Amino acid sequence: MIITKNEFRSKIFHLLQAWCDELIHLHISMPGNTDFDGAILCPACKVIHGRCHDAIYPMMYMADATGDQKYLDAANKLFRWGENMLCDDGGLYNDAQSTWSGITVFNAVSLCDALKKHGHLLDAQTKREWEARLLRMGDWLFKNLRLGMRTNINYFATNCNAMALLGNYFDRDDYRQLAHELAHHCMKHISENGLLFGEGQPNDAVSEKGCTAIDMGGYNVEESLPSLCRYAMESGDKEAFNVFVDSYRAHLEFMLPDGAWDNSIGTRAFKWTYWGSRTSDGCQEVLFHLGKQDPVFAEAALRNLDLYEKCTHNGLLFGGRDYYAHGEHACSHHTFCHAKVLAGALDEGFEDLERMPLPSDNFSGLKYYSEIDSYRVGVGDWRANVTAYDFNYMTGGHASGGALNLLWNRKVGPIIAVGAVDYSMHEIHNQQLSLKKAEHRSVCPRVELVKNGVRYANHYDFRASMNAEERNDSVIIRANAVLCDNHNAPIPENYACTLTYTFAKDCVRIHGKLDAAIADQAVYYLPIVQDSAAVTVETGALLSHGKSFNLNPGFICTEYKIAANEQGEFALTLSV
């Protein structure tokens, strides 16, 4: 099957137009009041997100593509409102109550893209004003966002892109030199399996197990690698281009067949949206460009785009597949961020694509990633991840302890999908809350015990061990873990459990063995994406099942509670 370049353009254009139209609908109109006029309200967070003027580039694209004055007016209003976030040193505040200014890099790139590609729409005075602000932001980035600043690696990656773009726009050799320095620093942060590490602090930190800070299906694929590839293309750095393209290819292993980026293991899994990450920019622009040389990248861009469409309702991109069905609101942040890469893809242009498989389509067997202490599994229609990753990014963050944190089947899609094990407002300006608190709880499969008011579970155990084997047409993974609290400290009695996962073509079997002392106290929780799989309890007892939901990554689940037998064993099968 062939998708033509015109079909690509139409598909992306209509989605971008829907997004931009709704963002305009959310514009605050208070003529004469510069504090609010032109800003974008957020239906989910009930605030103005300080980065909303990043939408200036997609608005300028739409103005040029359609000739409709409303988009040019929106771009000008966003620019004027952005003055409220601009500090006297040239940096931007993330939000009115946030001192973080690293996000200046994103607005600088958006403004530069708008000027380079569509600046001819502006009158001479307006263009000078835009360029003056861009240069102020560029000087702030040059002075501040450089090696030695305490930040995650995505900011070094994105600033090397910004410095290359602004360096060429203003003919600044000092900007271009910093871009080269930052990019080649990032080149040193590629693991043996091709994964970019440093999405944590410090960037070179190594855990007790030798793991590094990696956010595969979030910041790496939606922000850092796109920026690094854009830097290489803008600067003509062929060495860097080859390194970063190879890394992007390695990350494609974490795209599921339905186009989802699997970030169930990432350091910043608390922002996982299934299609990507809450406040990053997206992958389409760069993947479509790379797809002109290797169509597997364009295939990945197309499948991910399909998820954008499925998660878009009433003109906004929702933060998960089941948000809309669960009655959650869409955070405007997702839309104005990801609109930029759709505009970039449209400006970049397309080639016809003959549909082709992704790495995950044909993956079979077992692959171990030492840098995240995780196994990736492919048996028949099943795809899975089991992890004991121990890089501690935040309290209650990514799963560990031998948890089955992702299970996917070709017939039904996601069955188990775990973001943060405990949802918390780790980035209070970049996350949202659910009003349905009774249903909102962890969706991580786990052995859990509550003792003296403290919750202990295997998924908190950073010292857990795993082993795996392929046997005939099956994969077997065994995990040994101690029940720990959410600070990864073991229960005083060191109560332990063993979990064995058997992946066969017709089913997945989970067997658990608990210490005898807690056989009648601990419970195995198994949240399954609603209507995705049948659960058969073979050993132990089904205590109850009910409805649950978690904003991260946004699925309505059926939560099964299973008790062990007197010997401390339980066993169940999942089938579709």
Side-chain angles (χ1 to χ4, degrees):
M1 177 181 177
I2 294 178
I3 305 292
T4 70
K5 58 185 178 183
N6 289 333
E7 288 174 317
F8 272 132
R9 185 188 183 281
S10 177
K11 183 181 181 74
I12 296 178
F13 179 85
H14 287 105
L15 182 60
L16 179 60
Q17 186 172 41
W19 287 359
C20 286
D21 285 351
E22 183 57 23
L23 290 175
I24 290 174
H25 181 245
L26 294 172
H27 261 174
I28 298 174
S29 180
M30 296 180 68
N33 188 328
T34 57
D35 294 330
F36 299 104
D37 189 53
I40 295 173
L41 276 175
C42 177
C45 304
K46 311 297 188 285
V47 299
I48 299 168
H49 289 296
R51 285 181 56 190
C52 66
H53 54 136
D54 282 11
I56 195 166
Y57 170 45
M59 292 298 179
M60 288 292 284
Y61 172 83
M62 291 302 301
D64 213 355
T66 66
D68 194 325
Q69 184 67 29
K70 72 176 183 181
Y71 298 113
L72 185 58
D73 290 343
N76 279 304
K77 287 181 179 180
L78 286 166
F79 179 82
R80 288 196 296 271
W81 182 83
E83 196 76 23
N84 290 286
M85 296 292 106
L86 184 66
C87 301
D88 53 5
D89 61 0
L92 295 168
Y93 281 145
N94 189 92
D95 286 284
Q97 292 79 37
S98 172
T99 60
W100 178 243
S101 293
I103 51 82
T104 305
V105 69
F106 306 117
N107 192 260
V109 170
S110 183
L111 188 55
C112 190
D113 282 340
L115 282 164
K116 281 182 61 178
K117 301 171 184 178
H118 308 288
H120 57 271
L121 297 177
L122 304 173
D123 62 67
Q125 177 61 30
T126 300
K127 188 175 182 180
R128 284 194 294 270
E129 291 175 0
W130 285 30
E131 289 176 336
R133 183 186 295 178
L134 181 60
L135 188 57
R136 288 181 65 190
M137 292 192 293
D139 285 342
W140 186 91
L141 292 169
F142 178 77
K143 293 173 184 176
N144 293 278
L145 220 171
R146 52 173 55 243
L147 300 182
M149 184 180 188
R150 184 172 175 81
T151 184
N152 291 358
I153 201 166
N154 79 81
Y155 280 100
F156 298 140
T158 50
N159 198 36
C160 82
N161 177 38
M163 289 290 93
L165 290 170
L166 273 62
N168 287 344
Y169 191 86
F170 293 113
D171 194 21
R172 289 279 297 267
D173 283 337
D174 52 349
Y175 283 9
R176 289 188 283 248
Q177 179 57 40
L178 178 57
H180 182 272
E181 180 184 345
L182 293 173
H184 283 253
H185 172 77
C186 293
M187 285 171 63
K188 299 175 184 176
H189 286 72
I190 307 292
S191 74
E192 290 185 5
N193 284 307
L195 303 181
L196 177 70
F197 65 89
E199 200 53 43
Q201 299 174 26
N203 298 160
D204 295 318
V206 177
S207 72
E208 289 185 15
K209 292 181 177 180
C211 297
T212 50
I214 299 177
D215 197 57
M216 295 77 57
Y219 276 76
N220 280 11
V221 297
E222 283 215 317
E223 199 152 275
S224 295
L225 286 169
S227 296
L228 292 167
C229 289
R230 283 197 71 188
Y231 150 80
M233 292 183 285
E234 182 73 19
S235 65
D237 190 335
K238 293 182 180 179
E239 178 190 7
F241 181 78
N242 291 333
V243 170
F244 296 138
V245 171
D246 285 346
S247 180
Y248 224 145
R249 194 184 309 279
H251 284 74
L252 287 186
E253 295 178 2
F254 289 88
M255 176 172 275
L256 295 166
D258 61 2
W261 287 113
D262 173 15
N263 204 36
S264 59
I265 315 170
T267 52
R268 306 183 78 177
F270 68 98
K271 296 176 80 172
W272 187 28
T273 57
Y274 198 62
W275 41 256
S277 190
R278 292 185 66 90
T279 58
S280 53
D281 284 352
C283 61
Q284 269 70 30
E285 178 180 2
V286 164
L287 287 185
F288 276 122
H289 177 88
L290 298 180
K292 294 176 181 178
Q293 283 73 48
D294 185 344
V296 71
F297 291 110
E299 179 70 32
L302 176 59
R303 294 202 203 183
N304 191 243
L305 181 70
D306 288 342
L307 275 184
Y308 286 0
E309 290 181 325
K310 291 174 182 175
C311 293
T312 294
H313 303 277
N314 302 322
L316 290 178
L317 177 62
F318 281 66
R321 192 197 70 179
D322 292 347
Y323 270 52
Y324 187 74
H326 197 250
E328 307 296 337
H329 292 289
C331 177
S332 61
H333 216 309
H334 314 328
T335 303
F336 66 69
C337 277
H338 290 77
K340 291 183 288 184
V341 296
L342 295 195
L346 288 162
D347 272 331
E348 172 67 30
F350 312 96
E351 299 289 344
D352 294 350
L353 173 68
E354 185 169 355
R355 301 304 300 270
M356 63 182 304
L358 292 175
S360 59
D361 284 326
N362 299 322
F363 175 64
S364 179
L366 184 67
K367 183 170 181 177
Y368 177 66
Y369 295 82
S370 60
E371 59 268 62
I372 50 175
D373 194 17
S374 300
Y375 287 102
R376 190 164 61 96
V377 178
V379 176
D381 289 338
W382 302 100
R383 302 292 181 269
N385 282 323
V386 181
T387 187
Y389 186 33
D390 73 331
F391 192 95
N392 193 3
Y393 188 86
M394 58 180 279
T395 301
H398 64 77
S400 188
L404 176 59
N405 59 326
L406 179 89
L407 184 64
W408 188 96
N409 186 279
R410 192 179 303 278
K411 295 183 177 68
V412 296
I415 296 171
I416 294 171
V418 182
V421 293
D422 296 324
Y423 191 86
S424 64
M425 301 295 282
H426 185 72
E427 294 183 12
I428 195 167
H429 300 287
N430 295 329
Q431 294 176 259
Q432 67 189 84
L433 293 171
S434 175
L435 296 175
K436 300 179 179 182
K437 295 190 288 185
E439 291 181 356
H440 193 266
R441 51 187 178 270
S442 177
V443 291
C444 185
R446 64 202 181 274
V447 174
E448 182 177 303
L449 171 67
V450 177
K451 183 177 175 65
N452 298 325
V454 178
R455 188 165 66 101
Y456 298 92
N458 69 290
H459 63 34
Y460 294 131
D461 184 10
F462 279 2
R463 295 177 178 84
S465 62
M466 301 188 298
N467 62 76
E469 62 176 308
E470 295 182 63
R471 184 185 300 171
N472 299 325
D473 293 328
S474 299
V475 167
I476 301 171
I477 299 177
R478 300 177 185 85
N480 297 296
V482 171
L483 304 189
C484 296
D485 65 18
N486 66 343
H487 293 285
N488 315 111
I491 193 168
E493 297 84 357
N494 280 313
Y495 293 136
C497 66
T498 298
L499 293 166
T500 302
Y501 308 101
T502 302
F503 301 91
K505 288 186 177 180
D506 59 341
C507 69
V508 173
R509 188 170 188 266
I510 302 173
H511 176 269
K513 182 70 171 71
L514 315 179
D515 280 354
I518 57 170
D520 61 345
Q521 302 172 52
V523 172
Y524 185 65
Y525 285 82
L526 182 65
I528 298 295
V529 174
Q530 195 171 54
D531 301 325
S532 64
V535 177
T536 303
V537 177
E538 299 172 345
T539 303
L542 177 63
L543 299 179
S544 65
H545 60 83
K547 182 180 176 183
S548 65
F549 175 81
N550 198 283
L551 289 163
N552 170 233
F555 291 106
I556 298 170
C557 294
T558 301
E559 180 187 71
Y560 296 86
K561 294 173 64 176
I562 300 159
N565 63 16
E566 293 180 356
Q567 289 74 42
E569 293 189 66
F570 63 87
L572 56 97
T573 58
L574 297 172
S575 57
V576 298

